[in-house]
């Protein structure tokens, strides 16, 4: 029974890590007009949370060491709850940007802690990262698809539509309370192994996560406009973006499960990189955006959960898993937050998406090289562990 409860807790925590960001996109034009915001300010509603997700992820290490995983997750959920709920009172751009800031802080703290939560409560089931990733995709998809219907149902109020998603954080916080009460505050005895950016394995994971995040958020932000430049109307380009999200739901669950079951992490990482490369190449060639989106969805849907799984597999305990995840997400999300901005910058400079798409292919190539290095590092670590076991 406790196993099911822990899965439900994991599901609702993960469900909260995207709605405060993705719920804004479909209502962006209304928000911009109502608050008289310029393009740069509006873009900050997406860039700011992603930037904070990286910047504040290192706080997860300190929170974890002081009060433990469960208490830290509860604080993160309350932060997301407060930030999202306050959107009902927004009447000025600065307040809306403030809610984006604090939502990003909560998400940034929670993200690495979920890796530690999985390592602690599901030590023999690292593929539970699939639940983590698919829950985030579901949260992102539901929030983006229901924002407009909620807007109409709630008296044409985008403020009420955005604040509605605070309900998810409230549920997660309530579910965490019994777990928090049963856990001792702080860490168990013994000090976790320190994780340093000087560690070659950490640096490689940082670069991989940064490339993955830059691709994901660039595609999320600019896929619809790219499709529109290919001659498709706005309504159809919106469906393309929905297709990109929906494909990720089953893929986010299946690929980590298969990679964990058959111990073929390298193969699936390379397949996902190749899938994204094909998708971007098709867009660059002006081919069918539907086919291109299928490949992009397959790649993004597999790469993100595998990226979340890597710190769990590389670590020895829950505290170390949190530290690994925090360090990789710190740099990864900071790099990823600049992806959409660079795409927009090149579009304004060249009046075409072609240079941006070519740049994406370079990023994917770099990501593929990091995958090969990650596999090499993992093989070396396994060999060292085996040698150590034989010597004992």
């Amino acid at each position: 029974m406790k196993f099911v409860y822990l899965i439900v807790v994991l599901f609702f925590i993960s469900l909260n890590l995207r709605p405060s960001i993705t719920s804004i996109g479909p209502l962006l034009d209304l928000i911009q007009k109502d608050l008289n915001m310029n393009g740069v300010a509006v873009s900050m509603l997406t860039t700011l949370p992603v930037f904070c997700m990286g910047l504040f992820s290192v706080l997860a290490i300190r929170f974890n060491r002081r009060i433990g995983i469960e208490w830290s997750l509860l604080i993160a959920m309350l932060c997301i709850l407060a930030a999202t709920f306050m959107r009902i009172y927004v009447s000025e751009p600065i307040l809306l940007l403030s809610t984006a800031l604090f939502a990003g802080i909560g998400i940034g703290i929670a993200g690495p802690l979920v890796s530690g939560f999985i390592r602690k409560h599901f030590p023999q089931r690292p593929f539970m990262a699939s639940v983590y990733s698919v829950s985030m995709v579901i949260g992102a998809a539901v929030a983006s698809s229901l924002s407009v219907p909620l807007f109409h149902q709630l008296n044409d109020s985008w403020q009420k539509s955005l604040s509605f998603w605070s309900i998810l954080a409230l549920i997660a916080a309530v579910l965490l309370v019994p777990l928090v009460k049963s856990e001792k505050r702080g860490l168990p005895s013994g000090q976790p192994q320190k994780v340093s950016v000087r560690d070659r394995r950490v640096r490689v994971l940082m670069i991989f996560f940064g490339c993955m995040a830059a691709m994901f958020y660039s595609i999320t932000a600019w896929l619809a406009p790219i499709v529109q430049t290919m001659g498709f109307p706005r309504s159809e380009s919106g469906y393309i973006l929905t297709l990109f999200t929906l494909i990720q739901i089953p893929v986010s669950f299946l690929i980590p499960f298969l990679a964990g079951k058959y111990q073929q992490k390298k193969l699936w990482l390379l397949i996902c990189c190749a899938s994204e490369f094909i998708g971007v190449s098709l867009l660059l060639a002006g081919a069918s955006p539907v086919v291109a989106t299928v490949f992009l969805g397959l790649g993004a849907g597999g790469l993100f959960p595998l990226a979340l799984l890597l710190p769990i597999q590389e670590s020895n305990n829950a505290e170390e898993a949190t530290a690994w995840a925090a360090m990789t997400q710190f740099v990864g999300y900071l790099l990823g937050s600049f992806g959409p901005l660079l795409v927009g910058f090149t579009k304004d400079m060249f009046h075409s998406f072609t240079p941006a798409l070519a740049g994406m292919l370079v990023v994917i190539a770099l990501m593929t090289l990091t995958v090969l290095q990650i596999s090499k590092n993992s093989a070396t670590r396994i060999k060292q562990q085996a040698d150590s076991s034989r010597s004992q």
Side-chain angles (χ1 to χ4, degrees), residues 243-315:
L243 176 64
F244 172 68
T245 304
L246 291 177
I247 289 173
Q248 294 176 56
I249 295 177
V251 173
S252 295
F253 183 82
L254 287 175
I255 288 184
F257 175 78
L258 293 172
K261 184 176 181 180
Y262 297 105
Q263 299 298 310
Q264 294 179 325
K265 178 178 59 181
K266 174 184 174 181
L267 174 62
W268 288 105
L269 283 168
L270 291 175
I271 289 174
C272 292
C273 289
S275 183
E276 279 201 344
F277 192 92
I278 293 171
V280 174
S281 298
L282 289 173
L283 291 176
L284 193 58
S288 169
V290 174
V291 177
T293 300
V294 171
F295 279 103
L296 291 172
L298 290 172
L303 284 171
F304 189 74
L306 288 173
L308 298 175
L309 186 61
L310 288 172
I312 299 173
Q313 292 183 328
E314 292 288 336
S315 61

Side-chain angles (χ1 to χ4, degrees), residues 144-189:
S144 62
S145 61
L146 294 185
S147 285
V148 174
L150 281 171
F151 166 77
H152 293 302
Q153 289 293 323
L154 299 174
N155 300 319
D156 289 347
S157 170
W158 57 263
Q159 291 93 336
K160 292 180 180 178
S161 177
L162 295 181
S163 66
F164 174 84
W165 303 106
S166 62
I167 293 175
L168 297 178
L170 177 61
I171 295 173
V174 170
L175 287 171
L176 275 167
V177 170
L179 194 59
V180 163
K181 289 182 177 180
S182 65
E183 295 289 331
K184 294 180 179 180
R185 293 182 63 156
L187 288 179
S189 59

Side-chain angles (χ1 to χ4, degrees), residues 342-361:
L342 290 175
V343 173
F345 177 76
T346 56
K347 170 64 168 60
D348 290 341
M349 178 176 289
F350 297 101
H351 304 288
S352 170
F353 283 110
T354 299
L357 291 171
M360 288 183 187
L361 293 179

Side-chain angles (χ1 to χ4, degrees), residues 213-236:
M215 284 299 303
F216 177 80
Y217 289 107
S218 296
I219 294 170
T220 300
W222 291 102
L223 180 59
I226 289 172
V227 171
Q228 289 173 28
T229 62
M230 298 171 69
F232 287 77
R234 180 177 298 177
S235 58
E236 291 189 23

